[in-house]
Amino acid sequence: MSRWIGTANQGYSPYAIEELRRLLPDMKATQLVAGEVFIFDTSLDREAAIHAVHSERPAFLRHMQPIDRVIAIHGDADDLQELSETARRAALILEDKRVSIHLRKVKATKYPYSAADTKALLDAVLEEMGAESSLQQPDVIMAIYAGESELYIGYGSPSDMLSDWPGGAVRFQREKGQISRAKFKLLEAEREFGLDYSAYRNALDVGAAPGGWTSLLLERGVRVTAVDPGEMHPSLANHPMLTCLKRNAADVKFQPGSFDLLVCDMSWSPMQMCKLVLDLEPSLAPHATAVVTVKLMHRKPLQTIREVKERLSTAFVIEQSRQLFHNREEITLHLTKK
Ligand SMILES: C[S@@+](CC[C@H](N)C(=O)[O-])C[C@H]1O[C@@H](n2cnc3c(N)ncnc32)[C@H](O)[C@@H]1O
């Protein structure tokens, strides 16, 4: 038996819960933040629950945090006292480890302290215990979720929690002159799917304008062919590694095997996107990678995803399908050409 806090993108927790129900026996969920955060119980123990979730990673579950301890919130310094005690009692889990402290709070929480204050306090406790406080690549995360009147505390590796970011909310620094926010989606896909765009030589970017994805691939040293009837950003004009085709993607044809990477971020219906990607498939080299966003246009995202996967699997291995933190009404697929 184990207890967890699950998190999905705003509005998508019902789908994350539905996916978990299929994976975990006797799963029960209660809402913490409408549409986003929920507590779930399963009859599986912690390791078995982690194994089940990893074996078929749900598309909509962004983060899961075990609940190892619950503390009633007092709303004063007693809360800090109890948190310190809790960390000390977890010495077996924390000592000699690199530890990150993650704090998330619901809006209406009675817990009065900021993440920075909480971290400063617990870092001092960690130091006493011989643990190393670490923001990057921790062995263990001490995750604290401040509900309205209770603190839910859990320990686990970034892999157990599905992310090394608090709640799976991956934050990137916006750069000066960044062409579009869409760039973050492709960056997050690189991180989350374990890709390295610099390993590719020739990419086809379909639905490329204004050019956020194209600019990231160019920065990685990849030659890019960008297809879009819309305007690309002027900062990309005359880039020596870029070819722009100001055309509808349905009207372009390439030599067979021209590209080892296809990226596609068109706001099209999922089935039209499938047709387009399948039509372009011969232009891809064997085992080429594709990163494709799928719009979730109507009410049944799980069914849409099932249908899209079924169609694309005629030509591609579906490596992953996930709603990334930077995806809004969509998910991102990672595919490999068969
Ligand atoms: C969400 S934007 C892409 C943003 C881009 N990934 C970026 O990082 O800047 C979607 C783009 O798809 C393009 N698009 C829509 N239908 C298309 C088609 N049939 N062929 C090519 N591009 C298309 C639109 O013109 C639009 O520029």
Side-chain angles (χ1 to χ4, degrees), residues 201-204 225 253-261 281-285:
R201 303 176 63 144
N202 274 307
L204 176 61
T225 301
K253 276 254 169 315
F254 302 97
Q255 290 291 329
S258 302
F259 305 101
D260 54 359
L261 177 64
E281 179 263 337
S283 357
L284 303 181

Side-chain angles (χ1 to χ4, degrees), residues 42-63:
T42 164
S43 56
L44 296 185
D45 69 19
R46 174 198 179 96
E47 291 312 317
I50 292 170
H51 182 75
V53 168
H54 280 254
S55 68
E56 205 178 316
R57 175 86 191 254
F60 293 102
L61 183 69
R62 206 175 72 204
H63 187 265

Side-chain angles (χ1 to χ4, degrees), residues 180 182-183 207-213 227-230 247-249 265-268:
S180 68
K183 183 178 182 179
W213 286 28
V227 182
D228 201 305
R247 306 259 293 279
N248 185 316
D265 183 32
M266 296 192 317
S267 311
W268 259 18

Side-chain angles (χ1 to χ4, degrees), residues 245-292:
L245 302 176
K246 208 163 182 270
R247 306 259 293 279
N248 185 316
D251 303 333
V252 292
K253 276 254 169 315
F254 302 97
Q255 290 291 329
S258 302
F259 305 101
D260 54 359
L261 177 64
L262 166 75
V263 297
C264 174
D265 183 32
M266 296 192 317
S267 311
W268 259 18
S269 87
M271 284 305 139
Q272 276 177 302
M273 180 280 294
C274 285
K275 179 171 182 337
L276 185 97
V277 168
L278 290 170
D279 285 351
L280 286 170
E281 179 263 337
S283 357
L284 303 181
H287 312 299
T289 298
V291 176
V292 176

Side-chain angles (χ1 to χ4, degrees), residues 60-106:
F60 293 102
L61 183 69
R62 206 175 72 204
H63 187 265
M64 57 193 262
Q65 162 193 330
I67 301 179
D68 295 316
R69 203 177 138 75
V70 182
I71 301 177
I73 298 173
H74 300 274
D76 56 30
D78 284 356
D79 294 336
L80 297 179
Q81 187 62 33
E82 289 209 36
L83 273 176
S84 305
E85 296 280 308
T86 302
R88 281 194 192 96
R89 254 182 258 139
L92 278 178
I93 301 170
L94 301 176
E95 64 192 0
D96 305 324
K97 299 277 174 28
R98 291 162 60 83
V99 183
S100 265
I101 307 293
H102 288 181
L103 173 74
R104 292 190 292 155
K105 306 205 284 184
V106 294

